Amino acid sequence: MRSGLVAVGVLVTAAIITLYMQRYGLSTLAVEHEAITGWLAGDGLYAYRSPMNEAGAALPPALALLAAPLTLLPLRVAGWLLALAGLAALVLSTLVIAGPVARRHGRRRGPFVLAAAALALLAEPVRAAIGLGRPELLILALIAADLVGLRRAARVRNRSLAALLRARRSSRVSLVTRRSPADRPRTARIVHAFRNTLRSRYSGGLSESSKRSRREVDTSGGGTLRRVWANGSWAGAGTGLAVTFSTTALLFVVYLLITRQRRAALIALTTATVVTLGMLAVAPDETLTWYGTTMWELARPAPVSDLDNQSLAGVMARLYGFPAPPVLVWFAFGVLLVAVGLIRARSAHTEGDEVAAFTLVGLTAAVAGPVTTAAESLWMLPAVLILGDAGLRGRLSVRLPRSTRRTGTVYLTAAAAGYLILIATPPWSLRWNVPALALILLVNVLPWRQGSPALPTTRPAPHRRAAIPLPRGR
């Protein structure tokens, strides 16, 4: 029975991917395929223009170098390879984002993740990414990988803090329960062990034998890589690679900085800098052209006022009837949306919901960016999942007040309506800017789930006397 279900699932998935490729025609991949082919032949990467609509390639040099081997294959075969890679990235991203939801509701993670990935495969952002041959699913997987690293790092910090608190509590108990001078050596040993624990954890003060044994473990069986993977110290590398593939991912680095996750932010900036410098050494002309002029040509793939552009800039351009929006008006509203999105993402991080925080940042980048097509609005899918999860938690909990249960019903209704719009995508929705309005609304009202609060990164501010003394009661 399992083998039959797997075979049917594979056949249905292959049929769906074939249908998407026939509907969208791999138009974006075709332009990039020809541009990279001309680049390898000696022409400039950004010199090619499509004879059908004068569209040019708008991919960074790092992404072009990664996609260069696909030019050795026919367009259809390259599209299939990119679609399979995107499908694997979709499943892994769903495992990271939807896995905790399954555990929270007492469901098996495997079937739940596969069902969520199948539902996401039918949505318009995934359809467009696969049918057009775009790399947005791979970028989503890179950012989702950093979620795994941040979770592991937080778990290690929690364990270390719990161990230190237990050691401190045991030493205090031993000191309090001391009855006679005969207990002094035992108390001294406990205090000495506690000091050694603090020194080894925070100052690296290990003995030579401990260092030698740790080096032996590290050199045997890949202990260093295993420890790095276990403690999540690599978090930020995925975001750094995503920045080199899409400039809008730079907002995730800003989020890491404002939430004081400085190590992940530093790793992301270092990764992006190293990759950019490497591309500057490999392809200096294309790198300078991209960061100098091509990246700022917003109408290169299509006009900003095109209906497919559902960002704030596209909405304003269509409202004013111009090919591009008024710069000052767009900048003012864009900065306001970015501020709201980052503030709410920081609040979600403080409450322990890192998935909601990343989703808010992704939604903010989509709505505030200059061009946001259907394939670039993938973060609406985690938003629908968060709405559904928050709605179920509000409806299934009988201890919550009636107003909270009504709010849960509203969240469930919004999740169902949003998913139906993502599947159906009626033509009138683009004319009425429904995706853009949904992005703006989600940035402002997306809920986050209460979880374990994040660990404090700084010491609490000392209590200070108020400058204006308050009246005292008698």
Side-chain angles (χ1 to χ4, degrees), residues 40-348:
L40 296 178
D43 300 332
L45 176 61
Y46 306 106
Y48 174 78
R49 290 285 182 173
S50 175
M52 299 180 59
N53 52 9
E54 293 297 324
L59 72 167
L63 189 58
L65 184 63
L66 184 64
L70 296 179
T71 59
L72 304 175
L73 304 172
L75 179 63
R76 185 66 61 175
V77 178
W80 266 100
L81 289 179
L82 188 59
L84 292 178
L87 185 62
L90 176 64
V91 174
L92 292 177
S93 303
T94 308
L95 178 63
V96 174
I97 296 172
V101 178
R103 290 194 298 266
R104 188 179 301 119
H105 293 282
R107 304 294 180 182
R108 294 177 57 188
R109 189 171 63 171
F112 186 86
V113 169
L114 289 179
L119 293 175
L121 184 61
L122 302 177
E124 175 63 18
V126 179
R127 293 201 304 254
I130 293 177
L132 294 173
R134 297 179 63 99
E136 272 71 22
L137 287 171
L138 303 179
I139 296 174
L140 176 65
L142 288 175
I143 297 175
D146 279 351
L147 272 173
V148 178
L150 292 174
R151 286 175 184 171
R152 291 177 180 270
R155 193 179 300 121
V156 170
R157 287 197 303 269
N158 288 332
R159 290 176 180 173
S160 301
L161 182 61
L164 289 177
L165 291 177
R166 285 196 300 268
R168 180 179 298 178
R169 191 179 298 113
S170 63
S171 63
R172 288 179 177 177
V173 170
S174 300
L175 289 172
V176 171
T177 57
R178 186 176 56 181
R179 296 297 183 181
S180 63
D183 294 332
R184 288 179 181 178
R186 181 171 177 270
T187 304
R189 287 196 302 270
I190 293 175
V191 174
H192 183 68
F194 177 65
R195 289 176 179 174
N196 288 339
T197 303
L198 289 177
R199 189 179 298 112
S200 63
R201 288 185 181 275
Y202 288 104
S203 62
L206 295 175
S207 61
E208 292 298 327
S209 60
S210 300
K211 292 180 181 179
R212 192 180 305 110
S213 61
R214 177 169 292 184
R215 283 196 298 267
E216 292 176 357
V217 172
D218 291 344
T219 55
S220 62
T224 303
L225 294 178
R226 192 177 300 111
R227 190 176 66 252
V228 168
W229 170 257
N231 59 22
S233 58
W234 47 270
T239 302
L241 287 175
V243 169
T244 61
F245 296 158
S246 176
T247 54
T248 56
L250 191 61
L251 194 62
F252 287 93
V253 182
V254 178
Y255 159 75
L256 293 176
L257 288 174
I258 66 173
T259 53
R260 299 182 180 180
Q261 303 181 76
R262 298 185 181 93
R263 181 172 183 173
L266 181 60
I267 292 176
L269 291 175
T270 304
T271 304
T273 303
V274 169
V275 174
T276 304
L277 292 178
M279 288 306 304
L280 190 61
V282 173
D285 295 336
E286 282 70 22
T287 304
L288 294 176
T289 302
W290 168 256
Y291 289 104
T293 57
T294 308
M295 187 177 67
W296 310 103
E297 295 176 1
L298 304 182
R300 183 175 180 86
V304 179
S305 59
D306 191 73
L307 276 179
D308 291 334
N309 183 14
Q310 290 294 313
S311 67
L312 180 64
V315 173
M316 286 189 171
R318 288 189 292 272
L319 288 178
Y320 281 90
F322 297 150
V327 178
L328 293 179
V329 180
W330 169 48
F331 184 76
F333 282 98
V335 169
L336 179 61
L337 281 175
V338 169
V340 171
L342 290 179
I343 289 172
R344 302 194 76 243
R346 183 179 180 181
S347 300

